[in-house]
């Protein structure tokens, strides 16, 4: 399951810090209905800098359980995520715009969105029910946020209970609904036995609907004592029959879904005054969705035997005729043939009687999507078996814009790569356009713009419609001094090597494929050497790279390893120290062919390396700092009195032996930022830093003798991202109230090549990249520009198609310098045999005219010594087989083809 950050600091009084802020869009700012407590004036001198912020592009990476179209304004749509906030669709850019980046550290739970509602009477109004967990993991109660400017700004009504945007059952819904006839009236279905709630003043105040008889009784796992699996999933959706009201008067007929397998649908026929269970309804299932086709009067239910989103072994689809009161089972397959539940559900508002549904929990061999054009009497499937295991698809799937969605997989039929999806609990047909449909998966938003080709026997084209929606949880970050500027360790999808921050990487880390990468490191003086560790159902839990993370190979592991833990690389790459879950701290020389237990350091300690002395490693656990000077063989306890509670992270300064910064703690004990200049023998706490949770380093400012320090911290009474260019004597807040991203305590690092650039981890909003506008920072390190190889250059080229799919392919190219002189810049040319076209390239730039392609080095890989090789890769489109080019040229000279 996806879990958000651990509980963090108690609520902090909101304090706006005066700063010049460069914002590319209207800032979204929360305004509480209650005035925040006054804060003490800061006695810390804080400077200010103007920063711009963007995501390092990954596109998606997490579960999208809800998509909502407004039914009165074309192209107005919203998406909700379980831990990464809410988004509004921008039709002009065909991308999503984040709406909740203002959520702050103390209310981090508000980044989990359990439901969305768009007002049909006043489309500028939108509502979000927020809160991540219903148990103690989330320190704050849930809230209903309301906006009158489409999410550009918000006000909050805090509820007397918690909401569970990342709890079991989060794909059901929508729990929040606006009365289409009297839009001052809203309903909210609550979890945890809290029942049904109503607002009559456009979401300003809320009260319980005491007449509603059933708060639900279903829990995913009643034996779970954590408050997670055993929580009552409660009231799960609200649907109005707009025909039973008129503008200005409350809708009379309201349908409500309840997490109760024997009593899952209730109705009011008097505007919510009284409620009753609808007779004849299906039992033994939970209604994940309830959608009413007002043109036909049919209420449709998608049902599953569990609450999802991961589980579900049986399911049905039922139809209720609101005029006659007759129920009918209109499931597309027999109950005995289901091994999944149904959830995603939508009706075509332009074509009455047309509806679609998803088999959300069909993990293998793929999800399934069903479509009916006759009110559920008959159905067709997105794919069918021809002769098992072969299948015929009614769709084509092009992931060239987000190529990692194939997971680098090459499965045997009937599985395919990329998959149509999984956890497909949200599916919506555009109410204005029968050809457009979007659906959410566990990793992305897919969509089509020629859906009706399904009905005419043609193929409809599915592509990712996820640009701008960044939902990864970030565990660790690294920015080497050469090679790719950014390496990441991510939850759920492993991690990426970014050679271009504005381009989607071709593939996540593979060999091994880790479910979640927990830690990574590179050798400071040999940054081609990289190590990563993480969680996986099976071994190995560790991988190594010798080319800066471009390619990986699996390592062995000590006995008993159950999870990733933390890992450190020697400064020169000569060895590694690993503190995995399930086993004690171990060390290895080489690349993990054998491991030896370290002594003197407790299991579970966090480990890091000195960035200059390759024989020095550091460790920390429970308030004590440990040091090894013999390459990790033995550790000795050194400084004590450091934070014994909370999350603690530390880093050693690149290029300087024994200079260590440590951040962490908890409000109930020691909490702040410490520095050691004697290899951990002693630490000094920095005054003025009340709390700190992560620390990192970047390029020094112009004229400064010390590298820039970045922290996620509370300084001067203000929570934010801070920068210091004078060893922590003074601090500059570099984010602003519109860019807070909830919890940012996992990792932070500056870029050693670009002054002021910082990479910030979030828990659901991906990797945030901050760029300074300060002109005195020293600028970027100049890299060699593209040039021509020397006249006597020799070259050999290996071209390999590594993956193909319908309409596209992926290829890798390796260029070897077979001459006697180094390249100082290179350009490789070839012509495609057919209609192939490069759609995205990494580790190079390219130009293409017709079939002719020229690939040019990027700054960091311009120099290629005699006998050395350089590689790059790309994805391409093709209507046929992606054949390899017959010839290549380098600087006009022919290359040998290998």
């Amino acid at each position: 399951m996806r879990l958000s950050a651990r509980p963090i600091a108690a609520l902090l009084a909101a304090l706006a810090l005066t700063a010049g802020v460069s914002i590319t869009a209207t800032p979204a700012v929360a305004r509480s209905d209650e005035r925040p407590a006054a804060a003490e004036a800061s006695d810390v001198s804080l400077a200010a800098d103007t920063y711009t912020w963007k995501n390092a592009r990954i596109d998606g990476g997490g579960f999208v359980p809800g998509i909502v179209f407004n039914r009165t304004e074309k192209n107005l749509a919203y998406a909700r995520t379980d831990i990464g906030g809410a988004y509004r669709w921008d039709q002009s850019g065909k991308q999503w715009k984040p709406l909740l980046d203002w959520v702050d550290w103390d209310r981090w739970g508000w980044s989990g969105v359990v439901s969305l509602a768009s007002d049909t009477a006043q489309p500028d109004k939108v509502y979000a029910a927020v809160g991540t967990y219903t148990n103690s993991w989330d320190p704050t109660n849930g809230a209903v946020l309301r906006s009158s400017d489409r999410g550009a700004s918000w006000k909050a009504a805090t509820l007397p209970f918690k909401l569970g945007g990342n709890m079991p059952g989060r794909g059901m819904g929508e729990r929040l609904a606006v009365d289409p006839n009297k839009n001052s009236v809203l309903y909210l279905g609550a979890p945890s036995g809290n029942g049904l709630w109503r607002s009559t003043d456009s979401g300003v105040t809320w009260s319980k609907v005491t007449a509603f008889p059933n708060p639900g009784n279903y829990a995913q796992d009643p034996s779970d004592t954590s408050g997670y699996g055993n929580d009552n999933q409660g009231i799960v959706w609200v649907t109005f029959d707009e025909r039973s009201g008129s503008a200005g008067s409350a809708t009379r007929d309201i349908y409500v879904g309840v997490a109760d397998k024997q009593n899952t649908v209730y109705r009011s026929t008097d505007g919510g005054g009284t409620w009753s269970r609808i007779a004849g309804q299906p039992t033994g299932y939970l209604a994940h969705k309830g959608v009413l086709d007002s043109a036909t009067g049919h209420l449709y239910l998608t049902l599953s035997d569990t609450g999802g989103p991961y589980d579900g072994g049986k399911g049905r689809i039922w139809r209720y005729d609101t005029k006659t009161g007759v129920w009918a089972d209109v499931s597309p397959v027999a109950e005995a043939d289901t091994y999944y539940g149904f959830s995603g559900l939508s009706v075509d508002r332009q074509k009455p009687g047309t509806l679609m549904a998803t088999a959300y929990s069909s993990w293998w061999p793929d999800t399934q999507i069903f479509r009916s054009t006759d009110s559920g009497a008959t159905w067709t499937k997105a794919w069918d078996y021809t002769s098992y295991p072969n299948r015929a698809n009614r769709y084509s799937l092009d992931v060239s814009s987000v190529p990692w969605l194939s997971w680098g997989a090459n499965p045997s039929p009937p599985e395919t790569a990329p998959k149509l999806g999984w956890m497909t609990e949200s599916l919506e047909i555009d109410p204005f356009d029968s050809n457009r449909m979007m659906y959410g998966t566990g990793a992305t938003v897919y969509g089509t713009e020629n859906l009706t080709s399904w009905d005419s026997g043609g193929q409809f084209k599915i592509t990712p419609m996820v640009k701008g929606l960044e939902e990864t949880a970030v565990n660790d970050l690294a920015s080497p001094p050469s090679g790719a500027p950014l390496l990441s360790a991510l939850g759920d999808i492993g991690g990426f090597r970014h050679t271009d921050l504005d381009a989607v990487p071709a593939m996540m880390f593979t060999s091994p494929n880790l479910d979640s990468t927990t830690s990574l490191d590179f050798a400071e003086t040999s940054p081609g050497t990289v190590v990563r560790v993480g969680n996986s159902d099976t071994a190995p839990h560790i991988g190594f790279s010798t080319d800066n993370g471009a390619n990986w190979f699996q390592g062995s592991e000590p006995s008993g390893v159950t999870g990733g833990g933390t890992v450190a690389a020697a400064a020169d790459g000569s060895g590694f120290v690993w503190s995995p879950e399930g086993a004690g701290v171990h060390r290895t020389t080489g690349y993990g062919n054998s491991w030896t237990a370290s002594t003197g350091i407790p299991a579970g300690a966090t480990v890091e390396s000195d960035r200059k002395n390759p024989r020095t490693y550091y460790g920390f656990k429970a308030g004590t700092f440990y040091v090894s000077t013999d390459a990790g063989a033995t550790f000795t306890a050194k400084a004590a009195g450091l934070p014994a509670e909370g999350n603690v992270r530390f880093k050693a300064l690149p290029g300087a032996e024994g200079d260590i910064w440590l951040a962490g703690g908890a409000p109930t004990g020691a909490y702040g930022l410490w520095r050691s200049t004697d290899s951990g023998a002693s630490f000094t706490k920095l005054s003025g830093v009340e709390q700190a949770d992560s620390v990192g380093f970047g390029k020094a400012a112009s004229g400064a003798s010390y590298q820039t320090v970045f922290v996620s911290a509370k300084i001067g009474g203000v929570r934010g991202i801070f920068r210091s260019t004078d060893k922590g004597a003074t601090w500059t807040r570099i984010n602003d109230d519109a860019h807070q991203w909830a919890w940012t305590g996992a990792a932070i690092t500056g870029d050693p090549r670009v002054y002021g650039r910082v990479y910030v981890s979030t828990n659901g909003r991906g990797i945030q990249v901050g760029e300074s506008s300060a002109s005195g920072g020293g600028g970027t390190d100049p890299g060699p520009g593209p040039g021509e190889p020397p006249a006597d250059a020799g070259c050999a080229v290996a071209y390999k198609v590594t993956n193909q799919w319908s309409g596209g392919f992926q290829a890798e190219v390796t260029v070897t310098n077979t001459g006697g002189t180094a390249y100082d810049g290179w350009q490789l040319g070839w012509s495609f045999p057919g209609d192939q076209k490069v759609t995205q390239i990494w580790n190079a730039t390219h130009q293409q005219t017709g079939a002719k392609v020229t690939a040019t080095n990027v700054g960091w890989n311009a120099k290629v010594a005699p006998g050395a090789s350089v590689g790059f890769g790309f994805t391409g489109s093709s209507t046929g087989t992606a054949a390899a080019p017959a010839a290549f040229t380098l600087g006009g000279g022919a290359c040998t083809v290998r």
Side-chain angles (χ1 to χ4, degrees):
M1 60 185 172
R2 302 184 63 195
L3 299 182
S4 185
R6 296 180 178 89
I8 47 179
L11 278 174
L12 175 68
L15 175 64
L17 184 69
T18 303
V21 180
S22 174
I23 301 172
T24 57
T26 304
V29 180
R31 301 183 180 92
S32 174
D33 289 337
E34 296 182 1
R35 183 178 298 276
E40 294 288 335
S42 170
D43 61 358
V44 178
S45 176
L46 296 176
D49 188 16
T50 302
Y51 260 64
T52 57
W53 293 92
K54 65 181 180 181
N55 275 101
R57 278 190 67 188
I58 293 169
D59 286 15
F63 182 34
V64 181
I67 299 170
V68 174
F69 278 90
N70 187 280
R71 287 178 55 190
T72 57
E73 182 173 321
K74 189 175 183 179
N75 294 323
L76 180 57
Y78 297 89
R80 63 179 172 95
T81 70
D82 51 5
I83 62 172
Y87 294 80
R88 183 182 67 246
W89 178 251
D90 170 28
Q91 178 64 20
S92 62
K94 292 196 173 182
Q95 60 187 329
W96 297 94
K97 297 292 187 181
L99 302 178
L100 299 183
D101 281 357
W102 54 265
V103 173
D104 58 26
W105 179 276
D106 296 307
R107 294 174 292 187
W108 59 262
W110 288 10
S111 62
V113 184
V114 72
S115 191
L116 282 172
S118 181
D119 191 333
T120 58
Q122 292 178 277
D124 283 345
K125 290 187 175 182
V126 63
Y127 300 85
V130 298
T132 301
Y133 298 107
T134 60
N135 62 5
S136 61
W137 299 344
D138 193 331
T140 57
N141 280 350
V144 176
L145 308 179
R146 63 189 187 275
S147 173
S148 58
D149 52 15
R150 306 177 185 230
S153 62
W154 298 86
K155 293 183 178 180
T158 303
L159 299 167
F161 50 84
K162 296 182 179 184
L163 294 177
N166 197 34
M167 294 288 288
R170 59 191 179 273
M172 296 193 280
E174 292 291 319
R175 297 173 182 257
L176 184 64
V178 184
D179 189 324
N181 291 303
K182 190 173 183 179
N183 68 333
S184 60
V185 175
L186 293 89
Y187 284 85
L188 171 67
S192 311
N194 289 304
L196 183 66
W197 287 68
R198 176 169 53 209
S199 172
T200 59
D201 55 7
S202 300
V204 177
T205 60
W206 291 82
S207 59
K208 188 173 183 178
V209 181
T210 56
F212 194 82
N214 186 355
N217 61 15
Y218 173 80
Q220 180 193 65
D221 181 6
S223 66
D224 177 15
T225 59
S226 72
Y228 184 79
N230 62 338
D231 185 59
N232 175 6
Q233 295 181 15
I235 313 300
V236 297
W237 54 262
V238 179
T239 295
F240 292 92
D241 186 347
E242 64 262 37
R243 302 170 303 166
S244 64
S246 58
S249 63
T251 300
R252 296 190 305 274
D253 293 355
I254 311 168
Y255 297 85
V256 171
V258 180
D260 178 342
K261 289 187 177 183
Q262 301 306 311
N263 311 279
T264 195
V265 188
Y266 286 77
R267 177 176 60 186
S268 173
T269 58
D270 57 5
T274 60
W275 300 85
S276 60
R277 178 188 186 275
I278 303 179
Q281 66 181 265
T283 58
Y285 288 98
L286 303 175
H288 277 226
K289 300 283 195 299
V291 176
L292 196 144
D293 186 343
S294 57
T296 64
H298 290 146
L299 173 71
Y300 296 96
L301 306 181
T302 43
L303 300 121
S304 175
D305 58 349
T306 70
Y310 308 105
D311 52 4
K314 290 292 179 182
R316 310 305 294 146
I317 300 176
W318 279 65
R319 183 185 70 205
Y320 177 66
D321 190 321
T322 59
K323 182 177 181 180
T324 66
V326 174
W327 286 96
D329 184 341
V330 294
S331 303
V333 295
E335 185 175 33
D337 292 334
T338 62
Y339 53 91
Y340 46 76
F342 294 97
S343 184
L345 174 65
S346 184
V347 300
D348 188 336
R349 304 293 175 180
Q350 300 294 316
K351 295 184 175 183
T354 294
L355 68 152
M356 298 179 69
T358 66
Y360 77 95
S361 55
S362 178
W363 291 76
W364 188 95
D366 207 344
T367 199
Q368 184 62 275
I369 302 176
F370 302 89
R371 181 173 171 88
S372 173
T373 58
D374 53 11
S375 299
T378 62
W379 297 82
T380 51
K381 302 176 183 178
W383 58 270
D384 286 287
Y385 287 115
T386 51
S387 57
Y388 186 87
N390 300 313
R391 60 190 242 191
N393 299 331
R394 282 189 168 84
Y395 65 90
S396 64
L397 179 54
D398 178 5
V399 298
S400 57
S401 64
V402 190
W404 62 261
L405 284 168
S406 73
W407 254 257
N410 186 27
S412 300
E415 282 193 280
T416 63
K419 284 191 172 186
L420 191 59
W422 60 92
M423 295 167 62
T424 49
E425 294 225 53
S426 59
L427 180 148
E428 291 295 326
I429 302 170
D430 187 334
F432 292 91
D433 184 356
S434 298
N435 268 312
R436 182 160 70 170
M437 176 268 288
M438 296 181 185
Y439 67 97
T441 79
T444 192
V445 176
Y446 279 130
T448 182
E449 293 182 331
N450 69 324
L451 178 61
T452 58
S453 294
W454 180 319
D455 304 324
S456 60
Q459 278 196 330
F460 63 99
K461 182 179 181 180
I462 297 174
T463 59
M465 291 187 177
V466 73
K467 183 180 179 182
L469 195 156
E470 297 285 349
E471 202 193 345
T472 49
V474 185
N475 295 324
D476 202 1
L477 295 168
S479 184
S482 62
L486 180 64
L487 305 173
S488 59
L490 305 179
D492 295 335
I493 59 173
F496 291 92
R497 178 178 189 260
H498 269 90
T499 58
D500 182 345
L501 301 174
D502 297 314
V504 179
M507 194 55 57
M508 70 277 287
F509 298 142
T510 59
S511 299
N513 287 74
L514 300 175
D515 300 333
S516 293
T517 301
T518 56
S519 176
L520 58 79
D521 195 16
F522 63 90
E524 188 68 42
T525 62
S526 181
T529 300
V530 188
V531 61
R532 60 185 169 92
V533 295
N535 301 330
S536 177
D537 291 337
T538 58
H541 297 83
I542 187 167
F544 297 93
S545 173
T546 58
D547 58 5
N548 193 243
N551 296 282
W552 295 84
F553 55 93
Q554 300 176 162
S556 66
E557 60 186 43
S559 176
V561 172
T562 59
T566 58
V567 70
D572 62 357
S574 58
F576 305 89
V577 169
W578 184 14
S579 177
E581 293 181 15
V585 178
H586 283 70
R587 71 178 185 110
T588 185
T589 55
Y591 295 103
N593 293 325
S594 63
W595 293 89
T596 303
S598 303
T599 61
I601 185 170
T606 300
V607 294
E608 295 280 357
S609 65
D610 191 85
R611 310 312 284 181
K612 185 176 182 180
N613 188 332
R615 294 187 59 79
T616 300
Y617 289 90
Y618 306 112
F620 176 87
K621 187 175 183 181
T624 301
F625 201 81
Y626 299 85
V627 180
S628 172
T629 57
D630 56 6
T634 61
F635 282 81
T636 302
K638 295 290 186 178
L642 296 167
E645 301 176 81
N647 297 316
V648 175
R649 293 164 176 82
F650 65 94
K651 288 186 178 179
L653 187 75
E657 184 172 355
D659 193 341
I660 307 156
W661 293 65
L662 182 146
T668 54
Y671 203 173
L673 183 66
W674 287 259
R675 183 186 175 203
S676 172
T677 57
D678 55 10
S679 298
S682 63
F683 280 83
T684 301
K685 191 175 190 294
L686 274 73
S687 62
V689 181
E690 295 110 286
Q691 300 175 358
D693 290 85
S694 58
V695 60
F697 309 102
K699 185 179 180 180
S702 179
S705 59
Y706 198 84
Q707 293 177 44
T708 301
V709 182
F710 294 95
V711 290
S712 173
K714 179 183 176 183
I715 299 175
V718 180
R719 257 288 171 183
I721 307 301
F722 293 88
R723 183 191 73 201
S724 176
T725 58
D726 54 11
K727 304 181 186 180
T730 61
W731 295 94
T732 301
R733 187 191 182 195
I734 58 176
N735 71 321
D736 56 84
D737 289 349
H739 299 88
Q740 299 191 74
W741 316 291
W743 193 76
T744 56
I748 190 170
T749 185
D751 191 310
R753 290 171 276 184
V754 183
Y755 168 74
R757 180 184 289 172
V758 61
Y759 306 104
V760 179
S761 71
T762 73
N763 191 60
R765 274 288 288 125
I767 305 165
Q768 297 294 330
V769 182
E771 303 277 8
S772 172
S773 64
S775 59
T780 64
D781 284 341
E788 296 293 335
D792 62 347
C795 54
V797 176
Y799 181 100
K800 181 181 180 182
V801 175
T802 58
N803 195 12
Q804 289 197 68
W805 55 90
S806 177
F809 68 99
Q810 181 176 324
E812 293 180 356
V813 184
T814 302
V815 181
T816 301
N817 183 350
T818 60
T821 307
Y823 303 164
D824 190 1
W826 49 266
Q827 289 183 332
L828 185 72
W830 71 86
S831 292
F832 279 127
D835 65 349
Q836 300 173 49
K837 183 178 181 181
V838 176
T839 55
Q840 186 175 25
I841 195 167
W842 52 96
N843 298 342
T845 61
H846 84 286
Q847 291 182 335
Q848 182 169 356
T849 303
K852 186 176 180 180
V853 181
T854 301
T856 303
N857 65 276
V858 291
W860 64 269
N861 65 6
K863 295 183 181 295
V864 185
S869 299
V870 63
F872 61 93
F874 63 89
T875 55
S877 61
S878 175
T879 59
T881 301
F888 297 87
T889 61
L890 192 75
C895 296
T896 301
V897 180
R898 292 179 172 174

